[in-house]
Amino acid sequence: MSTLLLHSPATAAGHRAAAAPTGAYCSPAEEFYGGGQYTYTRVQVCLNFGSSNQVIVRNSQTQYQWGGAWYYADNNYPARWNANGSVSKSGQSGNYATPNPVTQGSANGSASGGSPAALNGCGSYSVAMTFHQSGPYWTDSSNDINSGQRSYTINVPC
């Protein structure tokens, strides 16, 4: 007696779910100058997937100008910054915010903005961010960096 198969058996690959993403997926870095062009930084927002999914804001090349030369932020002249915004994907959205302020005593730093529920796997994310920085060195608000609201699309492959 023979057995007739009505359909082919599924392969193991056919039963595997899409792998959960791991690592950081980031917007392009943007450069910002403060009022008077005495402070400068590069900022990018990243969606970090792993043991906990988080929004991470990276702040790099943080500098101030004094006496015609540029100097990096340090412990004597730190930058104080914060960022906030929203993340949305497939009709689901959530907000994030870094601590206010993040005190950065070096040229490069980062901070977590938390884990909005919308940050839940692969797909195309719409990310909004507003960034504000005071310093380094120049602490008068007229020298602050204010990005205004920025918008990004960050694609996270499956």
Side-chain angles (χ1 to χ4, degrees), residues 123-142:
S124 182
Y125 288 85
S126 295
V127 181
M129 179 187 69
T130 302
F131 178 87
H132 175 263
Q133 177 181 301
S134 176
Y137 188 81
W138 304 102
T139 56
D140 181 271
S141 63
S142 66

Side-chain angles (χ1 to χ4, degrees), residues 74-129:
D74 61 28
N75 288 328
N76 292 322
Y77 300 110
R80 289 177 176 81
W81 59 271
N82 70 294
N84 61 69
S86 63
V87 175
S88 62
K89 179 185 84 157
S90 303
Q92 189 177 27
S93 65
N95 296 325
Y96 68 91
T98 64
N100 185 11
V102 174
T103 300
Q104 181 175 318
S106 63
N108 304 312
S110 65
S112 173
S115 302
L119 197 56
N120 61 10
C122 57
S124 182
Y125 288 85
S126 295
V127 181
M129 179 187 69

Side-chain angles (χ1 to χ4, degrees), residues 16 24 44 65 108 126 132 145:
R16 260 186 256 142
Q44 75 180 157
Q65 184 183 39
N108 304 312
S126 295
H132 175 263
I145 294 172

Side-chain angles (χ1 to χ4, degrees), residues 30-32 96 127-131 146-152:
E30 288 196 75
E31 299 179 338
F32 299 107
Y96 68 91
V127 181
M129 179 187 69
T130 302
F131 178 87
N146 290 298
S147 71
Q149 184 171 315
R150 316 301 291 176
S151 297
Y152 311 99

Side-chain angles (χ1 to χ4, degrees), residues 26-37:
C26 302
S27 70
E30 288 196 75
E31 299 179 338
F32 299 107
Y33 285 90
Q37 307 288 299

